[in-house]
Structure formats: C-alpha cells, structure tokens
Amino acid sequence: MKQEPIKRIVPVNRIILGITGGIAAYKAAEFARLLIKQGVEVQVVMTEAACHFITPATMQALTGRPVLVNQWDATPNGMAHIATSRAADAIVIAPASADFIAKLTHGLADDLLSTLCLARNCPLIVAPAMNREMWLNAATQRNVKQLVADGVQVLGPDSGVQACGEEGMGRMLEAAELARDVGRVLTRHSDSVGLKPDLRGQKIIITAGPTYEAIDAVRGITNRSSGKMGYAIAQAALELGAEVTLISGPTAQPKPQGAQCVDVQSAEQMFDAVKQHLSGCAIFIGVAAVADYRVAQPSVQKIKKSAAPLTLELVPNPDILAYVANLPNPPFCVGFAAESENLAEYAEAKRRAKKLPLLVGNLAQQAIGSDDNELILFDDSGRQTLPRADKLTLARQLMQRIAQRNQGVLK
Ligand code: C5P
C-alpha cells in the first residue's frame, strides 16, 4: 500500500503558552505536557508573577525550550515580542489572572507576555483563573466581555472549590479539558482559513467502551475497555465538524462536548440504540469492545452462594458492526480489532468476514486501558501503521484518513 503522508489534523502546531501569576499555574505544566504529546511545539512565556508559582526550570524541562520572561533579555532573532509572536500559530494564556485580563483588554504592553499579545497576528485564547469574587467583579466581567468582542477566545472558568477555600466560579479548566478545547478552537480557526478536510454535515455513529452483560441483580460480565479510544475518535470527528452520535457502554470518560451521547449497558441495548440512530448515517465506527456472549437467563435477584457448582449458559450477542456493514446501503464502516497475537492475520480475516472497507488493528495488551497506542490500518490496498502516540493524536490521524476517503481524496 502506498504510504500516504499523514497530514496533521490541526495544521496549527506552534503555540505560545503564556503563564501569569496565579496558583493555577501548576496546571500549566500538565497542559504543556499534553500539548507536546499531541505534537504541538510549545514556547513558554511567563510573567514575573508567574515565576512565584511555578519555576521556568520546570517549564523548560517539560517543553525542551528556554522559557522567556524578561523583555530586556537579548534574543538571537531581533525583537523578542515581534519574532516570538510571528513564529506562533496561537497564543494561549493559562492561567490568565484578573490583572492580565485587564491588561489585555486595555492593550497594555509593559512586560514581554503582554507585549507579544499586542503584537500578535494569530488567535489569542485565554483561560481565566481567579478567586470567585474577582471573577464576579464588575470590572472583570466588563473586561472579559470586551475581550470576547475583540475576538479573543475565552475558555472557562469552571466552578468548584478554590485554592483559597471558597467555592464558586473562577477555577481554571483542567489541563485535559484545555488541551481538548484549544484543539477545537484552533481547528475552527484553520477551517475558517480553508486549511483542512472536513466532515461538516456528515452524521457519524461511534460505539465505544465495554458492554456489561448481567448475570444477576448485582453481577455481570464485562471487559477492561476504558472507552478512551472511542471517545478520542468522537472528539476528532467533532473537530472536523461531523455530527457525532456516541453510543457508549459504561466508562469513566468525560462526554465530548457537542456529541449526542447515548449511554447503554448491554450489547443488546447498544444494538437497539445503533438501529434507532442509523438513519442518515454516513460513517459508522465500531470501537466498542462488545461482549461476544451474554447470559441466557440473567437472574432478577442476586444468586445465593451454595456449595454446588454453578453453570451459566451463554448465548452469542448480535454482531452490531457486521449488521450495519451488511445493510443493503451501508454507511462507510470502520471496525476495530484488538488481538493478543497474530494481529495482521486475524485482523484481515475479520475485515473480510464482516465486509469492512477499513479495519483498525491493535494489540490488546498495548491498547486496553492505556493512554498510548499503535494502530495498523487494513484496507483493500494493504496495511499502514500509525506509529505509537497518545490516543487523541491517533484518533485525529485516523479521522483525517476517513475524512479524505469520504471526500474521495483517498480510495
Ligand atoms: O469480532 P470482534 O469482536 O473482534 O470484532 C471487533 C469489531 O466488531 C469492533 O469494531 C467491534 O466494535 C465490533 N463488534 C460489534 N458487535 C459485536 C462484536 C464486535 O459491533 N457483537
């Protein structure tokens, strides 16, 4: 199979991470780590106040780049505020303190970070973090409103218990939420300047997570699928503008914002939900680890323990993906195969048996429950590996290929 270069799903890949003075600065470390895992180049710029909360050495170690703090430091490439902002595809201020938001609103430029925000020619995203009274203060609210009117993207804040012990609005979004939302904002931006394939108006159904097959009122048969891969694919599809229906077994994953989420327990419930939502579906991606069998007659009451052996009769579950792929006019169907051995052989046999144009194989021992994975794509022309990366990065690469096929760019 010809190795098609996998274009980045988010062509925007150089971010200035601005850190201002606030206790939420510690979350910036994890946020930077997640961006880097997604292949983004991160240049950290900190205010003097931020250095009281987290050290430049920490951020330098995480990003592999010297951290910029002082506007008067000599730089090899001329004026730091111009050169640094020109090299960036976006500036993200996380955390953005009340003071820094006020500065941005009024166009002040009295340190390196505020100066390069003013000198930028790229999107600016801010993640406010402050005490709830500071957030609710009329001045802050006025400033935030003005920033939004000026085209700045404001992500959060969230409500909850604050570092000061008070409770209310003002907590910075968690690092994972920020990494996800920044990806979405940047995707929308690159979309508006016509840089990427898209799935706007396309209805996509994704099954995810494990299923749970009841044995009795309290016990059941399930598996160790975390749902991470399916949820990451839902997120990647949303970023391409698709209308996503995510039909999921029990997982602890946060719901992707913008998806229609349908929670189910058993394979039969998943099957019913899929049939109910199939109309108009252009792409079906079966990521769920559907139990192959269910208990023939689950007990309504808890089964009492006894000394006698207990035999459970298991009957096969419907194969949801095979059903969809064998409809007279099926959507483009993508399957997943987790195998513990002979991956290529089993995956290709599965693809043919279920009549799938595309099957994604992975090794169960590497994939289940972990944050990273390696995928092998099997289709009519052979196979292609998406090398080891975090699941959101892989999901974006996979959705990119699916979108290209959908647009007829790839066969
Ligand atoms: O046959 P196997 O379970 O290995 O196939 C895996 C693929 O089929 C996955 O895409 C999974 O979501 C789908 N599947 C299904 N319904 C089943 C079993 C598997 O949709 N009952």
Side-chain angles (χ1 to χ4, degrees):
M1 173 185 193
K2 199 163 135 256
Q3 293 277 312
E4 294 286 342
I6 297 199
K7 277 199 293 174
R8 293 189 53 73
I9 202 86
V10 182
V12 183
N13 61 2
R14 283 158 308 194
I15 283 181
I16 292 176
L17 170 56
I19 308 178
T20 71
I23 184 60
Y26 78 92
K27 293 185 186 172
E30 174 67 358
F31 176 45
R33 201 184 65 80
L34 293 175
L35 289 175
I36 286 166
K37 264 188 113 179
Q38 291 176 27
V40 176
E41 285 173 23
V42 180
Q43 170 64 62
V44 174
V45 181
M46 295 171 69
T47 63
E48 291 284 351
C51 300
H52 291 279
F53 292 93
I54 186 166
T55 69
T58 302
M59 299 309 300
Q60 174 164 337
L62 287 170
T63 60
R65 286 163 187 271
V67 170
L68 306 176
V69 179
N70 192 332
Q71 62 183 328
W72 308 119
D73 284 346
T75 50
N77 45 4
M79 290 185 282
H81 64 289
I82 304 291
T84 310
S85 76
R86 287 297 169 275
D89 296 304
I91 302 177
V92 184
I93 310 293
S97 65
D99 177 62
F100 197 78
I101 286 173
K103 269 180 162 175
L104 286 177
T105 309
H106 296 287
L108 296 186
D110 62 354
D111 62 9
L112 179 58
L113 186 56
S114 54
T115 309
L116 65 86
C117 286
L118 200 60
R120 78 183 190 280
N121 60 356
C122 60
L124 176 61
I125 302 170
V126 301
M130 64 197 75
N131 166 269
R132 68 189 175 109
E133 296 296 356
M134 292 171 85
W135 173 252
L136 291 174
N137 188 285
T140 306
Q141 289 300 311
R142 209 166 42 235
N143 289 341
V144 170
K145 216 167 152 192
Q146 185 58 50
L147 282 188
V148 172
D150 292 345
V152 174
Q153 291 283 334
V154 179
L155 299 179
D158 207 350
S159 73
V161 180
Q162 303 200 303
C164 54
E166 294 181 11
E167 197 166 342
M169 284 297 278
R171 279 169 60 94
M172 188 169 90
L173 294 184
E174 295 305 326
E177 291 172 294
L178 267 186
R180 184 192 66 194
D181 291 351
V182 163
R184 188 178 303 137
V185 170
L186 296 181
T187 305
R188 263 208 309 271
H189 173 73
S190 51
D191 209 24
S192 69
V193 292
L195 288 175
K196 47 199 300 306
D198 72 64
L199 288 170
R200 267 175 298 191
Q202 303 285 333
K203 181 172 168 185
I204 300 191
I205 297 179
I206 298 164
T207 66
T211 63
Y212 176 89
E213 313 297 330
I215 294 173
D216 66 14
V218 294
R219 305 181 183 96
I221 299 171
T222 187
N223 59 65
R224 289 170 46 219
S225 166
S226 64
K228 282 179 194 158
M229 194 71 228
Y231 279 60
I233 288 173
Q235 171 65 28
L238 287 165
E239 289 175 3
L240 291 184
E243 283 173 35
V244 176
T245 302
L246 178 61
I247 301 175
S248 173
T251 80
Q253 301 305 312
K255 303 247 181 293
Q257 227 185 335
Q260 183 185 9
C261 294
V262 183
D263 290 331
V264 297
Q265 299 267 319
S266 66
E268 284 188 306
Q269 287 170 356
M270 188 172 273
F271 192 27
D272 286 345
V274 166
K275 285 191 282 192
Q276 208 182 318
H277 289 86
L278 258 183
S279 152
C281 172
I283 300 172
F284 180 87
I285 311 178
V287 197
V290 184
D292 292 327
Y293 300 93
R294 67 180 182 278
V295 177
Q297 267 160 353
S299 166
V300 179
Q301 303 301 335
K302 184 178 170 195
I303 299 171
K304 299 306 289 175
K305 182 165 63 177
S306 85
L310 175 69
T311 303
L312 294 174
E313 188 194 349
L314 301 180
V315 293
N317 268 327
D319 191 316
I320 302 167
L321 179 60
Y323 167 85
V324 176
N326 286 279
L327 286 169
N329 194 7
F332 182 79
C333 283
V334 182
F336 267 70
E339 303 292 347
S340 58
E341 58 176 355
N342 301 336
L343 177 61
E345 187 189 326
Y346 290 161
E348 190 48 35
K350 205 164 278 183
R351 188 176 83 83
R352 275 195 301 268
K354 298 196 192 206
K355 299 202 177 85
L356 304 174
L358 178 62
L359 184 124
V360 183
N362 51 194
L363 281 172
Q365 53 274 44
Q366 285 181 10
I368 290 184
S370 77
D371 290 336
D372 292 357
N373 202 359
E374 178 183 288
L375 301 179
I376 305 175
L377 278 41
F378 298 87
D379 65 13
D380 280 343
S381 50
R383 67 165 107 157
Q384 188 192 18
T385 301
L386 300 184
R388 177 158 282 278
D390 68 280
K391 287 181 174 173
L392 186 54
T393 300
L394 289 171
R396 286 174 172 153
Q397 292 174 347
L398 176 64
M399 280 314 304
Q400 170 108 2
R401 295 198 72 80
I402 292 172
Q404 285 170 335
R405 286 186 78 131
N406 192 57
Q407 289 175 330
V409 179
L410 281 185
K411 286 282 161 272

